[in-house]
Amino acid sequence: MRRLHRSVAASVAVLAGWLAVAAPARADNPGYDRPGYGFTPVVLGAGDFTLEQGFPDWSRDHQNGVSSSQYTTDTLLRLGIGGPFELQLGGSAYDYLHQTGPGINSRSYGHGDTNLAVKFVLPTSSKIFSWGLLASVEFTDGSKTFRNDQNQYLLGAQFNLQADEKNSLGAYLEDVRAGGRDSTTVALSDNYSVSKTLTVYAETAFLHTPDQGSGAVAGAGMAWLVTPRVQLDAGFDHRISGSASEWQTNLGVSIYFGR
């Protein structure tokens, strides 16, 4: 795992360095939806877009004597369409799942389902409070191992409060409906600006699914704005109670292609 992360980090660093030279110095970047739970309650300007890429995101679980590790190259494309709206297209071009246990040692490869979303954020006169809504549908077009049984419909709400010059508090509420049943997430976060380019965060999330019941995770991470247009992120979440993935990690890059 460490060797993989070093290799990926080296590749991302090369990409970031190239972009730092290739991209213009000026960039009115509104921020990214990576990392962590929730999203940034700001929409891109009309015609602007971002690429947010996992390299990869990883999760590990252990249930009934079976250990599962999954690597996901999550991709999110965001496009500003004007006004309070933003279109998003997401998916994973490559997923890898390794399961081990008594009499089990299986490996699966494939791609994930496609996700289409709309973000809605109204302008506000408040300098310390912002909020937004996200509605999406996830289709069942992934590889057999990684696709959902039916379409999933998500409605999420993000609320941010600038507590002081360095601390921003966030609350994220999410409901995912599939097959007539609902899965819910409530996540709370604190983002601390170490400098103009480096932010660290801590988060906790309470999860409920019809099949597995309820659980909670907690974690931390960082986002580093390498240039005004390029951000690197890394972080983790660990299960603290109930039913949830034992470990979740994120490692990724986000690139702003605004004018």
Side-chain angles (χ1 to χ4, degrees):
M1 185 64 188
R2 291 179 180 175
R3 183 177 303 171
L4 173 63
H5 277 191
R6 282 199 295 268
S7 175
V8 170
S11 300
V12 170
V14 171
L15 174 62
W18 180 85
L19 286 165
V21 175
R26 296 180 58 193
D28 186 18
N29 190 342
Y32 303 105
D33 284 0
R34 288 185 66 96
Y37 284 89
F39 55 91
T40 179
V42 180
V43 295
L44 295 167
D48 293 351
F49 71 97
T50 64
L51 167 65
E52 304 186 17
Q53 179 66 56
F55 276 126
D57 295 329
W58 171 76
S59 63
R60 184 181 185 277
D61 203 3
H62 185 84
Q63 291 185 354
N64 302 321
V66 178
S67 295
S68 301
S69 292
Q70 183 168 337
Y71 298 87
T72 303
T73 57
D74 280 329
T75 301
L76 180 66
L77 295 172
R78 297 168 51 202
L79 173 66
I81 58 175
F85 295 102
E86 173 185 299
L87 288 180
Q88 299 187 354
L89 178 65
S92 175
Y94 179 79
D95 289 352
Y96 169 68
L97 176 64
H98 184 202
Q99 293 182 307
T100 58
I104 299 175
N105 188 4
S106 65
R107 292 175 172 83
S108 302
Y109 310 84
H111 63 90
D113 292 335
T114 301
N115 183 288
L116 183 63
V118 176
K119 184 193 289 187
F120 172 76
V121 178
L122 282 174
T124 175
S125 58
S126 174
K127 295 182 179 180
I128 64 171
F129 178 76
S130 57
W131 66 276
L133 299 175
L134 184 72
S136 73
V137 56
E138 187 168 313
F139 303 101
T140 58
D141 59 345
S143 301
K144 182 178 180 180
T145 302
F146 304 102
R147 72 165 66 110
N148 295 318
D149 294 330
Q150 56 270 316
N151 290 349
Q152 295 191 352
Y153 303 91
L154 178 151
L155 180 62
Q158 178 73 42
F159 305 93
N160 281 10
L161 177 67
Q162 192 69 39
D164 56 40
E165 184 179 350
K166 292 184 175 294
N167 284 281
S168 174
L169 306 178
Y172 176 63
L173 311 177
E174 175 188 282
D175 181 82
V176 178
R177 188 164 183 82
R181 299 190 296 175
D182 294 274
S183 301
T184 57
T185 298
V186 177
L188 305 173
S189 64
D190 182 6
N191 299 270
Y192 180 80
S193 298
V194 178
S195 67
K196 292 182 179 180
T197 59
L198 179 63
T199 300
V200 295
Y201 69 90
E203 67 180 4
T204 185
F206 306 93
L207 317 170
H208 176 78
T209 60
D211 295 330
Q212 299 181 354
S214 300
V217 300
M222 55 78 67
W224 176 32
L225 202 60
V226 183
T227 80
R229 294 179 179 269
V230 180
Q231 173 187 278
L232 303 182
D233 69 76
F236 73 93
D237 287 293
H238 181 56
R239 181 177 63 214
I240 56 176
S241 68
S243 179
S245 293
E246 183 179 3
W247 286 100
Q248 302 172 40
T249 68
N250 60 272
L251 179 67
V253 61
S254 301
I255 307 166
Y256 172 63
F257 293 96
R259 291 165 290 181

